[in-house]
Amino acid sequence: MLKGSLLWKIKSHRGQKERLYRLQEDGMTIWFESRFQRAHSKQIFSIMHIEGVREGYQSEGLRKYGSSFPEKHCFTIVFKGKRKNLDLAAQREEEAQTWVRGLNKLMAKVKAMSQREKLDHWIHDILRQADKDKDNKMCFKEIKNMLKMINIDMNDIYAHQLFKECDKSNNDRLEEHEIEEFCTRLMKRPELDDIFYHYSGEDCVLSVEELVEFLQDQGEKASLADACRIIQTYELNEKAKQQDLMMLDGFMMYLLSADGNILNQEHTRVYQDMSQPLCHYFISSSHNTYLTDNQIGGPSSTEAYIRAFMKGCRCVELDCWEGSNGEPVIYHGHTLTSKILFRDVIESIRDYAFKQSPYPVILSLENHCGLEQQATMARHMKTILGDMLLTQTLDRQVSRVLPSPEQLKGKILVKGKKLPDLRGDLENLSFLSDEEEEEEEERDGRRSLHSLQDIKPLQAKDALQVAQELSDMVVYCKAVPFLGLEHALRNPQAHEVSSFNERKARKYIKESGNAFVRYNAQQLSRIYPAGLKMNSSNFNPQEMWNAGCQLVALNFQTPGCEMDLNDGRFLQNGCCGYVLKPRFLCNGQSTFQPEAPLQGSSHRSIMLMIKVISAQQLPKLNKEKKNSIVDPFVRVEIHGIPVDCDKKNTLYKINNGFNPCWDEMLTFQLQVPELALVRFVVEDYDNTSCNDFVGQFTLPVNSMKEGYRHIHLLSKDGASLSPATLFVHVKFKRL
């Protein structure tokens, strides 16, 4: 890989280009050469940005366009965030295997790296870029360029003084050990020094007892054995480690590690009770899952399903339409979005549904096909999914309550229309109305509630349009029109699911909040974005979770605050896609008022005090402009019930994205912390236009750790911005 390989980049039948790909000396960066000279920034990518590597025709691109190369010569690099896959073909099978094995080894190495090692890699990469003449020495001009690259506008006098102090050879150039000393001074964290020396005292080392005192002040239940384990894990100095002592560098290693993360590490695994009915959980859900862009002319792709599953999504949508050659297709009907085969989507679901989570997946079918192609859909699901597909109730028993995620592990459920028993009550024909289709048609905002008499003729016609084979696959998620809360609460049917667009859901929350909470305590509801959102924008999911709605479906392809909240909600419980609702939303006993706290629940109000101390190595937003340095500030947002929603900002710091320090306390009072999310946002202040987004991190209040904590920032599309961090102190106070 260091020598490089000529690999074919596969984009289309005609768009196949041979390029030289080579691993850089740092072992962390892949460089590639194009026949057409492009900007340097587009010619490298980091191992850190790779999500995974697939062998053979395991991507949509290679299945379509890779047939001119043997399958064993092909592989796909999948990136984090929204970056498209890189489909490649080698000249020999052995060469393809070399790259697949090598990339997997390098990815494993990156995963095992500590924050300190990532920081070292980052600074060495910056030094390599700043050393223009490649002599492994740095003149003052190169040092100044490096400082701007790392987002700091340092005073020339101070920078030159620091340069001269490190120039031990006195030749106006910093050599290797001198560069190391310059970087060490630059990376000093005075705020960490103060904390360390407060607990260590005059000897400047932490004993086991002193570390226990620090950990207890952090809110940890720490013993002497716990402190010894931390020292043995994070201390860098072998002599100190042998004596169970911790020095400043080891202390910083600990605070930058997972143990020093703001996210409770116990919540990174499944820790909640998974044996309750499905309707007692928030379930990660996607709308128009097949789209990779907007819903008017964006491309459809099986890759969108794979990315959704790898983010823990458990409910995906399939818009099914009549296709050519008897094969149903999936796309956003009556638009310019591209089409993909239903069969290909089902194959992707089979391969990726349970890679990230073992808990059940719901396929939300929006069916526009005729009977013949519906039967084809049923045949594909049965043949491809096999035993994964749930086609009958558990133990063939009909229960009044839904089964649990634990009982349905590894199973795929179909949500769709189900044929009624025509010998029974004709009201059962209402099961066949497609609520979502009705909502999409009502773009003038007309009242969408129908009486049973209004819709009977429609259902009688629709009954002829549901294939028995497809109907038989609907077991626990029978799609029905919503006939009103009074009807639903009087005739609870656990196995029925109704869909509401965001406007209709808000109407119920505002006018009948208590009844809507009780409804959601006994059966599933699905909320989806309004049809007029041409750019596939999202609604705020928090207001729907406040009312206990489970399947709050968002456009996963559209980054922004709404998807940050979704990612934050499902960050807990091992990212398995199921989060247990607070007890008061499961028993239906709460008194719901949109502008007030929920009454009748067992929660306790808290005061949340967050001291925003500092940030480290924030990304440079405009790499083309060397003199462009960010002026960062931090905004802390609370998203919960309306009375808890709040946001507060720090002041901004001029020209320092490297190590800005705020030391500002932000205080929030929360009535219902069980439902609240905290979103930390860093923006670049601009007094003439909108502030630019720098990074963010969102998590549930109940998953936050107290004490001094680091927050590892994410980009707009959810990818890591390593080594960028925030450093904060968190304190909870019961009211």
Side-chain angles (χ1 to χ4, degrees):
M1 290 172 72
L2 285 166
K3 289 178 182 176
S5 299
L6 285 171
L7 303 174
W8 289 92
K9 179 182 177 182
I10 315 295
K11 286 185 72 176
S12 64
H13 288 304
R14 294 181 180 179
Q16 299 176 359
K17 298 176 181 178
E18 193 175 35
R19 291 175 169 175
L20 176 65
Y21 288 82
R22 187 169 64 223
L23 178 67
Q24 303 263 86
E25 293 287 339
D26 62 2
M28 295 285 288
T29 312
I30 305 295
W31 173 90
F32 62 87
E33 180 181 67
S34 173
R35 288 182 183 177
F36 304 99
Q37 191 62 37
R38 295 187 179 183
H40 181 71
S41 60
K42 294 182 180 178
Q43 290 185 302
I44 62 170
F45 58 86
S46 171
I47 300 293
M48 288 184 178
H49 297 155
I50 298 177
E51 180 80 46
V53 183
R54 304 181 201 155
E55 297 183 61
Y57 299 153
Q58 292 299 310
S59 74
E60 192 171 65
L62 283 173
R63 280 195 292 269
K64 279 185 179 178
Y65 308 120
S67 57
S68 56
F69 297 91
E71 183 172 4
K72 291 185 177 180
H73 291 206
C74 298
F75 62 98
T76 300
I77 298 175
V78 182
F79 293 99
K80 297 174 182 176
K82 290 192 73 176
R83 183 169 177 172
K84 292 181 180 178
N85 294 348
L86 179 58
D87 293 319
L88 298 169
Q91 294 175 350
R92 294 175 296 109
E93 179 184 340
E94 297 78 13
E95 196 166 32
Q97 280 298 308
T98 294
W99 278 86
V100 170
R101 286 196 307 268
L103 288 170
N104 280 320
K105 283 185 179 180
L106 290 170
M107 287 162 56
K109 178 187 171 186
V110 165
K111 193 173 181 180
M113 283 171 72
S114 69
Q115 182 70 8
R116 183 62 178 268
E117 289 171 320
K118 290 177 183 176
L119 200 56
D120 287 345
H121 163 71
W122 176 78
I123 200 72
H124 280 103
D125 183 51
I126 293 291
L127 289 169
R128 178 183 55 78
Q129 293 179 49
D131 183 13
K132 296 297 183 184
D133 53 10
K134 308 301 178 190
D135 62 352
N136 293 321
K137 297 177 184 179
M138 303 280 282
C139 66
F140 182 65
K141 184 179 178 182
E142 289 173 321
I143 287 288
K144 279 291 290 179
N145 284 336
M146 182 197 78
L147 291 172
K148 288 175 181 175
M149 288 168 68
I150 61 175
N151 229 346
I152 184 168
D153 187 16
M154 189 181 287
N155 177 281
D156 275 2
I157 296 173
Y158 177 68
H160 194 262
Q161 179 186 336
L162 195 59
F163 179 89
K164 293 304 289 183
E165 288 173 4
C166 296
D167 184 17
K168 306 295 185 186
S169 54
N170 206 27
N171 63 356
D172 289 329
R173 286 180 176 272
L174 300 187
E175 299 179 14
E176 285 191 23
H177 63 283
E178 295 169 338
I179 296 172
E180 189 175 330
E181 184 179 346
F182 183 89
C183 291
T184 300
R185 292 197 186 194
L186 204 60
M187 306 286 274
K188 275 186 77 69
R189 299 270 306 271
E191 73 276 25
L192 289 188
D193 295 358
D194 291 345
I195 299 165
F196 180 80
Y197 295 131
H198 172 77
Y199 287 93
S200 68
E202 294 180 359
D203 59 358
C204 300
V205 291
L206 279 176
S207 66
V208 173
E209 293 77 13
E210 288 167 335
L211 183 54
V212 167
E213 182 189 357
F214 168 76
L215 293 170
Q216 289 175 346
D217 286 350
Q218 289 273 91
E220 306 275 7
K221 294 177 181 177
S223 64
L224 292 174
D226 293 325
C228 286
R229 176 190 63 80
I230 287 170
I231 290 172
Q232 293 304 311
T233 303
Y234 299 109
E235 179 52 50
L236 303 173
N237 185 296
E238 285 300 325
K239 286 185 179 179
K241 192 186 287 189
Q242 289 168 12
Q243 299 175 56
D244 281 331
L245 297 173
M246 178 172 267
M247 301 180 74
L248 178 58
D249 279 353
F251 183 68
M252 186 165 84
M253 285 284 286
Y254 164 71
L255 284 177
L256 283 168
S257 73
D259 285 334
N261 199 307
I262 195 169
L263 175 66
N264 187 336
Q265 294 303 292
E266 291 181 7
H267 292 191
T268 60
R269 57 178 177 78
V270 175
Y271 71 96
Q272 295 178 339
D273 177 10
M274 301 302 287
S275 62
Q276 298 194 31
L278 283 180
C279 56
H280 287 187
Y281 297 84
F282 297 127
I283 304 171
S284 180
S285 304
S286 163
H287 175 64
N288 289 349
T289 312
Y290 47 89
L291 291 178
T292 60
D293 207 329
N294 70 71
Q295 63 188 42
I296 300 303
S300 305
S301 173
T302 56
E303 293 295 331
Y305 286 89
I306 296 170
R307 289 184 182 244
F309 285 133
M310 297 311 287
K311 291 188 78 168
C313 182
R314 298 290 84 193
C315 178
V316 296
E317 184 178 21
L318 294 81
D319 278 3
C320 309
W321 295 80
E322 290 271 314
S324 57
N325 302 318
E327 286 292 339
V329 295
I330 289 176
Y331 83 113
H332 201 254
H334 309 302
T335 68
L336 299 176
T337 57
S338 62
K339 300 174 183 179
I340 48 178
L341 289 175
F342 177 85
R343 180 185 60 219
D344 290 347
V345 170
I346 298 301
E347 287 177 351
S348 295
I349 290 169
R350 174 198 63 197
D351 295 341
Y352 289 92
F354 301 108
K355 291 267 188 186
Q356 175 66 24
S357 169
Y359 293 104
V361 165
I362 299 171
L363 306 185
S364 182
L365 298 185
E366 191 173 318
N367 178 16
H368 305 271
C369 294
L371 292 176
E372 188 176 334
Q373 291 204 11
Q374 286 182 44
T376 301
M377 287 164 57
R379 186 172 67 253
H380 284 328
M381 285 193 283
K382 195 168 185 178
T383 304
I384 295 167
L385 298 178
D387 292 340
M388 290 183 190
L389 186 67
L390 190 78
T391 55
Q392 59 188 22
T393 57
L394 300 179
D395 302 324
R396 301 192 177 185
Q397 300 294 315
V398 178
S399 171
R400 290 190 175 183
V401 297
L402 286 166
S404 70
E406 188 64 35
Q407 290 174 301
L408 294 169
K409 258 186 175 178
K411 291 297 181 182
I412 294 173
L413 285 63
V414 174
K415 169 188 164 293
K417 300 175 187 178
K418 190 167 181 68
L419 285 168
D421 181 358
L422 294 178
R423 293 168 299 179
D425 192 340
L426 283 176
E427 287 188 6
N428 283 330
L429 286 174
S430 65
F431 293 159
L432 298 173
S433 170
D434 192 325
E435 183 77 1
E436 191 151 330
E437 289 175 24
E438 290 173 9
E439 295 284 359
E440 293 288 356
E441 290 167 1
E442 292 178 355
R443 299 192 174 185
D444 60 356
R446 292 192 304 269
R447 183 173 177 81
S448 60
L449 286 173
H450 301 286
S451 68
L452 197 57
Q453 290 74 24
D454 289 332
I455 61 175
K456 264 186 181 177
L458 173 67
Q459 266 69 64
K461 181 183 69 175
D462 278 358
L464 303 175
Q465 295 301 315
V466 181
Q468 185 69 53
E469 300 94 323
L470 198 58
S471 172
D472 290 344
M473 292 184 170
V474 178
V475 181
Y476 288 118
C477 297
K478 194 186 303 179
V480 301
F482 192 67
L483 304 179
L485 283 166
E486 185 180 345
H487 179 272
L489 292 173
R490 195 171 60 246
N491 303 282
Q493 301 291 332
H495 299 175
E496 294 181 357
V497 185
S498 291
S499 293
F500 309 83
N501 77 20
E502 58 179 285
R503 291 191 299 270
K504 190 171 179 181
R506 284 195 198 98
K507 182 176 183 294
Y508 282 121
I509 291 170
K510 184 177 180 179
E511 297 178 0
S512 312
N514 295 332
F516 203 36
V517 168
R518 291 199 300 276
Y519 169 77
N520 286 318
Q522 59 193 24
Q523 61 195 87
L524 296 171
S525 65
R526 180 175 181 271
I527 318 298
Y528 61 94
L532 288 175
K533 294 188 172 182
M534 305 303 181
N535 60 351
S536 294
S537 60
N538 285 310
F539 57 89
N540 181 356
Q542 183 66 46
E543 56 186 329
M544 310 305 172
W545 293 324
N546 290 343
C549 302
Q550 304 88 353
L551 302 166
V552 182
L554 298 183
N555 292 296
F556 272 45
Q557 78 276 17
T558 307
C561 177
E562 297 83 6
M563 270 309 297
D564 294 343
L565 296 181
N566 196 76
D567 292 344
R569 173 67 64 200
F570 294 101
L571 185 63
Q572 60 184 315
N573 210 30
C575 295
C576 75
Y578 284 82
V579 170
L580 189 61
K581 297 196 290 188
R583 187 178 301 172
F584 54 84
L585 289 179
C586 295
N587 59 25
Q589 299 303 309
S590 302
T591 302
F592 186 91
Q593 296 176 1
E595 300 304 325
L598 292 165
Q599 303 298 320
S601 58
S602 58
H603 63 266
R604 293 177 60 186
S605 301
I606 64 166
M607 183 77 78
L608 172 59
M609 293 165 282
I610 299 174
K611 180 184 272 190
V612 180
I613 301 172
S614 61
Q616 296 74 43
Q617 293 82 53
L618 299 175
K620 190 175 178 70
L621 298 183
N622 194 338
K623 294 183 180 179
E624 305 302 318
K625 294 183 179 179
K626 290 182 181 178
N627 293 325
S628 175
I629 311 291
V630 298
D631 303 327
F633 70 93
V634 178
R635 182 173 63 253
V636 179
E637 304 170 354
I638 304 295
H639 297 264
I641 64 167
V643 75
D644 285 348
C645 291
D646 198 1
K647 56 185 176 184
K648 295 181 180 178
N649 296 348
T650 66
L651 299 174
Y652 64 91
K653 296 294 176 179
I654 296 175
N655 286 342
N656 188 353
F658 183 72
N659 56 2
C661 188
W662 295 277
D663 214 29
E664 292 186 42
M665 179 69 78
L666 307 177
T667 304
F668 305 90
Q669 188 168 327
L670 305 181
Q671 300 290 331
V672 188
E674 299 98 316
L675 278 171
L677 297 169
V678 183
R679 183 172 182 250
F680 295 88
V681 189
V682 182
E683 289 186 353
D684 179 16
Y685 176 77
D686 193 320
N687 61 359
T688 59
S689 61
C690 293
N691 300 323
D692 290 324
F693 175 88
V694 176
Q696 70 84 33
F697 187 77
T698 307
L699 77 165
V701 167
N702 284 354
S703 294
M704 290 175 72
K705 296 278 279 184
E706 288 191 279
Y708 291 102
R709 301 291 170 184
H710 279 97
I711 299 168
H712 298 263
L713 294 173
L714 304 176
S715 68
K716 188 171 285 187
D717 59 8
S720 170
L721 288 175
S722 181
T725 52
L726 282 179
F727 186 51
V728 300
H729 184 271
V730 178
K731 183 74 176 173
F732 295 115
K733 183 180 178 182
R734 302 288 176 185
L735 299 177

